[in-house]
Amino acid sequence: MTSSLADVASSDAALRAFLHGLPGVDRVGADQRAAVLGTRSIKTTAKAAAIDLAISMVDLTTLEGADTTGKVRAMCTKAVHPGGGAPKVAAVCVYPDLVAVAVEALRGSGVKVASVATAFPSGRTSVEVKLSDTALAVAAGADEIDMVIDRGAFLSGHYMKVFEEIVAVKAACGQAHLKVILETGELATYDNVRRASWLAMLAGADFIKTSTGKVSPAATLPVTLVMLEAVRDFRDRTGRQVGVKPAGGIRTTKDAIKNLVLVNETAGDDWLTPDWFRLGASSVLNDLLMQRQKLATGRYAGPDYFTLD
């Protein structure tokens, strides 16, 4: 942190004062700007490039109680070879107990293995369990950890508790990158989204992520806009760049491209790489592949042309 931020987390009072001193979000303005940017039209070669970029940013995800080793292996194969010459995706995201399966299947591919931890999706457990959950995934070979914050603590104003948990999980990650899930659908206001974004970044997050995908609304464009403004302003203030990952509700190529436009117009093209922007999704990949096929051949492939997840 820069000297001006060095003492922000020195006490609960200092952290509260900083977070509540952030500029308020103009809700109407954020909604309108996101709506306007969402109408941008991208055609022909630019659209083809945007589709391939979006594919390369996908965290292909399966987070269901019925997940099996076979399903994870099949998803990993699709992650590396989506079909039709499309680029590989950024990562495969699974529960900690399936990390070893994904690591084995993706070895040498360059596709990262991400794992949710810290009692995903609720986060309702002790710090000790959260750290154990993280350690299990890291020991199995996870490159990235997606943790959930304690929304109850945050909404009760216990910011230091949330801060200290993120710091502890970051330490448990070792060399693995940490994505901090804010669960924006439960934060109620854009001001809270901005505060939670800054809190996570001050605590050491490598990425801030909108949602678990288990709560509605999830990754809305205005919320992603607020988070992109936060990472832009954080880098301006500290010199450290933090990534953004909208997750949940991104189902179509139009949804994906709207997010790319939002990134370019809000944070800038420095964030338009898989290193700094991800799309958390389980269903958008097939639509991207179908649209890619349409651009290449002039014909739509059926929804079952590509493997179904």
Side-chain angles (χ1 to χ4, degrees):
M1 290 187 287
T2 62
S3 57
S4 61
L5 291 181
D7 296 326
V8 164
S10 61
S11 70
D12 190 58
L15 184 57
R16 177 187 302 277
F18 176 82
L19 294 176
H20 283 267
L22 292 169
V25 180
D26 177 353
R27 187 177 189 94
V28 173
D31 287 345
Q32 288 180 343
R33 178 160 176 76
V36 168
L37 291 176
T39 64
R40 293 278 179 89
S41 180
I42 298 178
K43 303 294 185 183
T44 60
T45 55
K47 184 175 182 180
I51 287 173
D52 276 4
L53 179 59
I55 291 171
S56 75
M57 292 173 165
V58 167
D59 279 5
L60 195 57
T61 303
T62 183
L63 298 171
E64 303 298 334
D67 287 344
T68 64
T69 57
K71 181 178 181 180
V72 171
R73 289 191 187 102
M75 181 168 281
C76 290
T77 298
K78 183 173 182 176
V80 180
H81 304 290
K88 60 192 177 188
V89 306
V92 168
C93 186
V94 296
Y95 277 114
D97 62 312
L98 289 167
V99 166
V101 177
V103 168
E104 173 79 20
L106 293 171
R107 196 178 307 280
S109 69
V111 175
K112 305 293 187 184
V113 177
S115 181
V116 297
T118 64
F120 177 94
S122 70
R124 307 304 308 183
T125 190
S126 67
V127 175
E128 292 77 15
V129 171
K130 292 178 181 181
L131 296 179
S132 177
D133 206 23
T134 302
L136 173 67
V138 172
D143 302 294
E144 302 170 355
I145 297 296
D146 290 25
M147 76 164 285
V148 289
I149 67 167
D150 183 335
R151 283 87 72 193
F154 179 89
L155 291 170
S156 299
H158 300 310
Y159 301 132
M160 186 58 74
K161 179 182 179 183
V162 180
F163 179 91
E164 290 175 345
E165 283 195 356
I166 297 171
V167 170
V169 173
K170 173 66 175 173
C173 284
Q175 297 301 308
H177 282 193
L178 176 63
K179 305 194 198 84
V180 177
I181 307 171
L182 309 181
E183 198 65 289
T184 54
E186 294 182 341
L187 296 187
T189 69
Y190 293 168
D191 285 344
N192 275 342
V193 172
R194 176 169 285 173
R195 289 171 189 145
S197 297
W198 274 85
L199 176 60
M201 293 187 291
L202 289 167
D206 297 299
F207 263 75
I208 51 176
K209 177 178 171 181
T210 61
S211 323
T212 62
K214 307 297 185 182
V215 170
S216 181
T220 67
L221 285 178
V223 158
T224 304
L225 170 67
V226 171
M227 292 170 64
L228 286 165
E229 289 176 343
V231 297
R232 177 200 65 199
D233 295 346
F234 185 81
R235 188 179 73 170
D236 288 345
R237 186 115 177 233
T238 67
R240 185 167 76 87
Q241 187 161 336
V242 176
V244 176
K245 178 180 172 180
I250 302 170
R251 297 185 176 88
T252 69
T253 298
K254 286 183 180 179
D255 293 336
I257 291 178
K258 285 178 182 179
N259 275 277
L260 297 186
V261 171
L262 204 63
V263 173
N264 189 63
E265 297 296 324
T266 306
D269 59 9
D270 283 354
W271 272 267
L272 279 175
T273 78
D275 290 335
W276 300 110
F277 193 74
R278 298 284 182 83
L279 297 167
S282 57
S283 60
V284 72
L285 180 57
N286 269 17
D287 195 71
L288 287 164
L289 294 171
M290 289 168 62
Q291 293 295 331
R292 190 178 189 275
Q293 178 89 346
K294 170 65 164 56
L295 287 177
T297 66
R299 300 186 305 277
Y300 276 111
D304 58 352
Y305 183 84
F306 301 99
T307 58
L308 300 176
D309 302 318

